Amino acid sequence: MKLKLISSLLLLVIGFSAFANAHTITTKNAAVEEAAGTLTGTVTDKADGKPVIGATVSIPDLHTGAITDANGKYVLNHVPRGVYLLQVSYLGYATFNQKVDLSKTSVFDVKLQASSLEAGEVVVTGVSKATEIKRSPVPMIAVGKAYLEQRAASGNIIDQIATLPGVSAVTTGPNVSKPFIHGLGYNRVITLQDGIRQEGQQWGDEHGIEVDQNSIDRVEIIKGPASLTYGSDAIGGVVNLITPAPVPEGKILGSVQGIYGTNQGLLNGSFRLQGNQNGLVWGTVVSAKEAKNYQNQQDGRVYATGYQEKDARVMVGLNKSWGYSYLHASVFDDKQDIPDGSRDSLTRKFTKQITEDGATAIVPESELNSYRIPTLHQRVQLYRIYNNSNFILGGGNLLVNLGYQLSHRREYTHPEYGDVPGLNLHLHTYTYDVKYNFNIGDDYETTFGVNGQYGKNTIDGATDFPIPAYHQFDIGPFFVIKKSFGKLDLSAGARFDSRSFTGDAAYVDTIGGPHGFPQLYKGPNPTTTPNVTSQFDALSKTFTGFSGSFGATYNVSDQFLVKANLARGFRAPSIAELSANGPDPGSQIYHVGDKNFKPEFSFQQDIGAFLTLPNISASVELFNNEISNYIFQQQELNPDGSPVITQGYNTFTYVQSKARIYGGEVNVDLHPLPWLHFENSLSLTYGENKGNGGPVADSLKYLPFIPPLHTHSELRGAFNGGFGDFKNLYVFVGFDHYSAQNRFFSAYGTETATAGYNLLSAGFGGNIVNKSGQPVLKLFIEGTNLANINYQSNMSRLKYFGNPTAPDGINHGIFNMGRNISFKVVVPFGFNTGKKSS
């Protein structure tokens, strides 16, 4: 394992170094061309002509940017020839976006229009080149660093975005959240980091996203099928987590931050440092956080919901006239408690298992209020190395994203033998993504590419075996073409995917392991050796499918536009859905798969209308998604209606059916005063099980894990000018309403109804600046569930954790977190490294 990790790192380093050295020599011998690759200009206020100091000027496709100086001037070095989207943004102004031909333009001045509306976000995810959200027919949403910083109370990066319209999360406690988009999650939503797909056994209910939230500055989300550009598993959408962009040239910038949360005693610290000298860019983020068991009025402190996490990442790269190339390496190390919700029948206090035969004891208060990780816990480590490169080649851009990651997941489930893992999975994944962007004919923006992955999973060194050892290979060529005809923007594309699985046969010696535990049998005679049973049959499956997309955006005026998109998605079954036959202790489930499953295909229709006026912005987006061969889990019951128990766990089988998921989002943002914002959104998703041809029983007619109606209202005051040394001040009060979810998959006791609830939140913050206007301290305070409401989220798996039966009048399962107030302090620092190159 270590040898492969080191060898992969060396190969990437050698390749990066050789390429960088070659192009450094080339650029030194072409000093005239390098000097010409400069874009300068001045950013001013359109109303009074005064310079805008501190505005951000960037070219997203080139990962380069600058900050305007005291005269409003900016300089971008090492810019190549070609047409690229230029973005200029500053608080209190409408974001400026315009394509600029850098082969003809070296000076470009910008006049910013004062505005109280937030507009003009630029996204890169899922499109051939940087594109304004409002012009893309594919439903998208993006949030930046300011939005993430103000969500100080969120325990992980997915929780920070889980209240966005159309987005939700299935949770197993405060540090385990899986993204859902329009009712689809697990292996139907791809999570990326800097465009590199995340692979970490995401089929598991309790498996979170292995990413340090402190290292993410931007999140871009595709809401709908993105199989066209990302292949299988993107049938529901994409979440792209983006690490800090390079700092302006000639700068070294950093920060130290700390977060404290009152409910769990959360301690979260992070150190960041970045530099850029003559196009040599580098950066690092080091973080650590820990928390005790969370608490609410109904349950008190909830046993086994604490965690300890350590993270580190480094990046080094080059920004030159030939493009850019960045090498990243990161480590994620999380120790996570494993809750089961068991309680003493008389006192209702939480209990913990203390013997292998299931004997329990009441958890003492000292342990409930401790940061100590209990004997039963999981440890998840993710090692990642990847390279993002963009080469200017032949009048276009060649983008190459290559990555290697090792996910090592262990779940310690033996109370008397704490060093023996019940689950021990090693997943090695190599990902590749190569695409070429260029214009053909009359400015037809075109992308051809191919991407996929190779994965290898091993299961040895454990006592439980929910999935087999296997190899997986994905490949998918695709093309995308876009063209604007005046007010009409069109986009279309197609892709062909192939995914192959090779699963290894496996036998288990039921008593031959250490301490008499089961272990994999590796002897020569598995069929005749006593106490050896078959766990997995050999598997060889290949799934193929076409996906495609066609969409249009019509700009009726500068203030109003409509757009629509049709997309066909493809998803191959996961290894768990095909072959699972064992317990997953963290999810409290014994999984059973079906090797005869067919791939899923979806056909989704999206339509939306968007209005932007000086004091109001509004949008309506509707979607309808028809899915064939939809795969989901249902619980198995005995003839008397009791759950089927296998090896101490409730048994769930995967099944397949037709499905329909539909709904939409409405957003209305009012700005009665320049500093006052009243933001409102509504999200509604329905999921229906359409069966396989015959009538569908009432208990089967809804899909599991469909979020209820959610409305969010927020009254926010923003005082960017501030008062004296206090700048960029804000204060807000938020109200979230979640309706009762009575449309649930009730068959076999799989799900139960969920009562509605309302949550109140509030926060404030701002910057303390020095004499030159630079922040020396940033403060963010956020309170969630301020009314300390006892509630159970329909999307929380802890709702189903507990004793098989509960006393009359007592709610089953665990409630969500009570009142929590978080304090976040950021101390930025930085300095110039000398004269900038020109």
Side-chain angles (χ1 to χ4, degrees):
M1 178 184 76
K2 292 183 178 179
L3 181 60
K4 286 188 176 182
L5 184 64
I6 294 172
S7 63
S8 300
L9 175 61
L10 289 175
L11 285 173
L12 279 171
V13 170
I14 290 170
F16 173 83
S17 300
F19 184 85
N21 288 337
H23 279 278
T24 299
I25 293 172
T26 302
T27 53
K28 285 182 178 179
N29 293 334
V32 174
E33 180 180 348
E34 182 74 28
T38 300
L39 180 70
T40 65
T42 303
V43 179
T44 57
D45 186 304
K46 187 175 182 178
D48 58 19
K50 293 183 179 179
V52 178
I53 304 170
T56 299
V57 182
S58 64
I59 304 176
D61 279 325
L62 301 178
H63 285 199
T64 187
I67 304 296
T68 56
D69 61 17
N71 298 312
K73 184 178 179 181
Y74 70 90
V75 179
L76 293 174
N77 294 306
H78 316 300
V79 293
R81 292 184 171 89
V83 180
Y84 296 94
L85 189 67
L86 181 76
Q87 182 181 52
V88 183
S89 59
Y90 189 70
L91 284 172
Y93 291 88
T95 301
F96 176 90
N97 295 298
Q98 184 172 315
K99 289 184 178 180
V100 178
D101 189 343
L102 300 180
S103 62
K104 301 177 181 179
T105 305
S106 59
V107 178
F108 191 83
D109 296 330
V110 175
K111 296 180 180 180
L112 291 184
Q113 176 73 52
S115 173
S116 58
L117 296 175
E118 299 82 13
E121 282 281 6
V122 171
V123 297
V124 183
T125 302
V127 293
S128 55
K129 296 182 72 173
T131 305
E132 292 181 76
I133 291 176
K134 69 178 184 178
R135 304 200 69 166
S136 172
V138 178
M140 296 183 181
I141 190 170
V143 294
K145 186 177 181 181
Y147 178 94
L148 297 175
E149 282 187 325
Q150 293 178 18
R151 271 66 186 172
S154 300
N156 59 77
I157 185 60
I158 300 303
D159 280 353
Q160 288 179 284
I161 61 172
T163 59
L164 291 171
V167 182
S168 56
V170 164
T171 63
T172 311
N175 198 41
V176 178
S177 300
K178 302 182 76 68
F180 268 55
I181 300 174
H182 288 167
L184 295 175
Y186 297 106
N187 284 70
R188 296 183 182 93
V189 171
I190 287 182
T191 303
L192 309 169
Q193 181 165 307
D194 293 327
I196 303 293
R197 63 181 294 158
Q198 182 97 1
E199 289 294 320
Q201 308 289 358
Q202 57 264 39
W203 53 268
D205 293 280
E206 84 291 2
H207 302 170
I209 301 301
E210 301 93 342
V211 171
D212 173 21
Q213 69 186 98
N214 300 304
S215 69
I216 303 303
D217 273 8
R218 181 176 172 82
V219 183
E220 300 171 349
I221 301 168
I222 298 178
K223 297 190 293 184
S227 302
L228 174 61
T229 46
Y230 289 102
S232 182
D233 299 348
I235 196 171
V238 171
V239 176
N240 193 9
L241 309 173
I242 301 174
T243 58
V247 299
E249 192 168 317
K251 299 282 188 179
I252 292 180
L253 303 177
S255 66
V256 177
Q257 77 169 37
I259 301 176
Y260 175 72
T262 58
N263 189 288
Q264 282 189 284
L266 171 67
L267 301 172
N268 183 347
S270 184
F271 169 80
R272 176 184 296 195
L273 190 65
Q274 295 175 263
N276 184 346
Q277 182 64 28
N278 195 29
L280 174 64
V281 297
W282 54 269
T284 185
V285 181
V286 180
S287 305
K289 65 179 181 180
E290 65 175 352
K292 299 183 289 188
N293 299 306
Y294 79 79
Q295 57 188 321
N296 58 56
Q297 287 186 326
Q298 176 77 19
D299 302 311
R301 287 206 177 269
V302 178
Y303 179 61
T305 56
Y307 52 90
Q308 295 176 357
E309 181 185 317
K310 297 177 181 178
D311 307 281
R313 63 176 293 105
V314 295
M315 182 275 282
V316 61
L318 289 174
N319 269 66
K320 294 293 182 178
S321 60
W322 47 261
Y324 64 79
S325 185
Y326 305 146
L327 180 67
H328 306 253
S330 65
V331 177
F332 173 94
D333 189 349
D334 177 47
K335 292 181 180 179
Q336 183 77 43
D337 300 1
I338 301 178
D340 64 11
S342 63
R343 309 186 197 223
D344 179 69
S345 59
L346 296 178
T347 65
R348 295 293 295 163
K349 293 183 177 181
F350 285 101
T351 61
K352 61 178 180 178
Q353 186 179 348
I354 57 175
T355 65
E356 295 299 322
D357 60 7
T360 61
I362 294 176
V363 182
E365 184 64 30
S366 59
E367 189 170 347
L368 284 173
N369 198 29
S370 170
Y371 287 98
R372 186 176 67 85
I373 299 295
T375 302
L376 305 186
H377 70 277
Q378 59 176 302
R379 185 176 186 184
V380 182
Q381 294 170 294
L382 185 72
Y383 304 90
R384 189 191 336 245
I385 305 168
Y386 60 96
N387 178 263
N388 302 127
S389 295
N390 183 353
F391 307 128
I392 312 303
L393 184 65
N397 298 71
L398 178 66
L399 286 84
V400 181
N401 298 310
L402 303 174
Y404 165 77
Q405 55 194 299
L406 166 61
S407 174
H408 187 191
R409 178 177 299 276
R410 285 161 288 181
E411 296 186 2
Y412 295 94
T413 57
H414 299 291
E416 295 183 77
Y417 305 97
D419 59 341
V420 177
L423 192 70
N424 193 8
L425 302 175
H426 295 79
L427 179 60
H428 302 262
T429 305
Y430 299 85
T431 59
Y432 62 94
D433 178 24
V434 181
K435 50 196 172 191
Y436 186 60
N437 296 329
F438 63 102
N439 286 356
I440 60 173
D442 186 19
D443 290 332
Y444 285 87
E445 194 174 289
T446 309
T447 299
F448 285 94
V450 61
N451 53 30
Q453 63 177 328
Y454 169 77
K456 177 184 177 183
N457 182 71
T458 62
I459 60 175
D460 204 0
T463 64
D464 296 316
F465 310 97
I467 61 171
Y470 68 91
H471 298 260
Q472 174 185 334
F473 179 69
D474 294 1
I475 186 169
F478 65 93
F479 78 90
V480 180
I481 188 166
K482 298 194 300 182
K483 170 64 176 174
S484 294
F485 299 91
K487 295 182 177 182
L488 180 65
D489 301 318
L490 297 179
S491 175
R495 177 189 181 99
F496 179 77
D497 267 292
S498 176
R499 168 173 286 185
S500 299
F501 285 111
T502 303
D504 298 341
Y507 294 84
V508 173
D509 184 342
T510 58
I511 61 173
H515 313 294
F517 293 129
Q519 68 174 2
L520 282 182
Y521 177 77
K522 299 181 179 180
N525 301 306
T527 59
T528 59
T529 303
N531 304 313
V532 173
T533 61
S534 175
Q535 186 77 9
F536 302 107
D537 295 330
L539 175 74
S540 180
K541 302 283 288 188
T542 298
F543 303 94
T544 59
F546 286 96
S547 53
S549 177
F550 176 76
T553 299
Y554 186 69
N555 300 274
V556 179
S557 67
D558 291 339
Q559 293 78 34
F560 182 67
L561 62 88
V562 293
K563 54 186 179 180
N565 193 68
L566 303 175
R568 185 179 195 254
F570 161 82
R571 185 183 81 91
S574 71
I575 191 66
E577 292 163 341
L578 292 169
S579 300
N581 181 32
D584 184 359
S587 66
Q588 300 291 303
I589 287 176
Y590 190 100
H591 299 269
V592 179
D594 188 337
K595 65 181 180 181
N596 297 314
F597 278 158
K598 299 176 182 179
E600 294 180 349
F601 289 96
S602 72
F603 179 58
Q604 179 162 322
Q605 309 95 50
D606 293 278
I607 187 169
F610 302 81
L611 174 69
T612 304
L613 298 174
N615 296 312
I616 182 174
S617 62
S619 65
V620 178
E621 296 179 89
L622 304 175
F623 72 93
N624 180 65
N625 194 3
E626 305 281 349
I627 307 174
S628 59
N629 307 319
Y630 181 81
I631 300 172
F632 59 98
Q633 283 187 312
Q634 64 183 31
Q635 187 170 200
E636 286 194 325
L637 298 182
N638 292 307
D640 64 359
S642 62
V644 172
I645 304 298
T646 307
Q647 298 183 17
Y649 300 98
N650 290 348
T651 304
F652 279 70
T653 58
Y654 290 97
V655 295
Q656 200 160 42
S657 175
K658 295 180 181 178
R660 180 190 179 202
I661 303 178
Y662 59 100
E665 295 100 46
V666 177
N667 293 273
V668 178
D669 294 348
L670 304 175
H671 300 264
L673 298 171
W675 57 269
L676 184 63
H677 309 255
F678 186 36
E679 304 170 1
N680 302 272
S681 65
L682 179 150
S683 301
L684 179 62
T685 302
Y686 287 139
E688 297 179 353
N689 178 13
K690 308 301 288 186
N692 290 304
V696 177
D698 287 347
S699 63
L700 294 167
K701 67 180 181 180
Y702 303 121
L703 298 178
F705 280 129
I706 297 296
L709 170 72
H710 172 216
T711 65
H712 174 76
S713 296
E714 185 174 298
L715 188 64
R716 173 180 293 266
F719 310 94
N720 299 326
F723 309 96
D725 293 336
F726 299 90
K727 304 293 184 182
N728 296 334
L729 302 177
Y730 71 91
V731 59
F732 74 89
V733 176
F735 179 81
D736 287 87
H737 167 73
Y738 292 86
S739 293
Q741 182 55 290
N742 296 312
R743 300 166 62 96
F744 59 96
F745 188 81
S746 61
Y748 319 110
T750 302
E751 283 191 317
T752 60
T754 306
Y757 54 92
N758 301 309
L759 300 178
L760 180 67
S761 61
F764 65 93
N767 301 341
I768 299 176
V769 301
N770 57 22
K771 293 182 179 180
S772 60
Q774 297 301 312
V776 295
L777 186 144
K778 300 180 179 181
L779 176 65
F780 308 92
I781 299 175
E782 183 185 16
T784 56
N785 192 8
L786 289 175
N788 210 19
I789 298 296
N790 291 317
Y791 73 98
Q792 288 180 313
S793 167
N794 178 72
M795 306 296 283
S796 171
R797 295 185 57 256
L798 297 187
K799 178 175 180 280
Y800 302 97
F801 283 20
N803 299 345
T805 60
D808 292 340
I810 300 297
N811 289 78
H812 185 78
I814 296 171
F815 282 67
N816 286 68
M817 185 184 292
R819 181 187 298 116
N820 182 45
I821 300 176
S822 292
F823 303 84
K824 180 175 182 178
V825 176
V826 181
V827 180
F829 59 88
F831 52 89
N832 297 325
T833 60
K835 184 178 179 180
K836 293 183 288 187
S837 174
S838 60

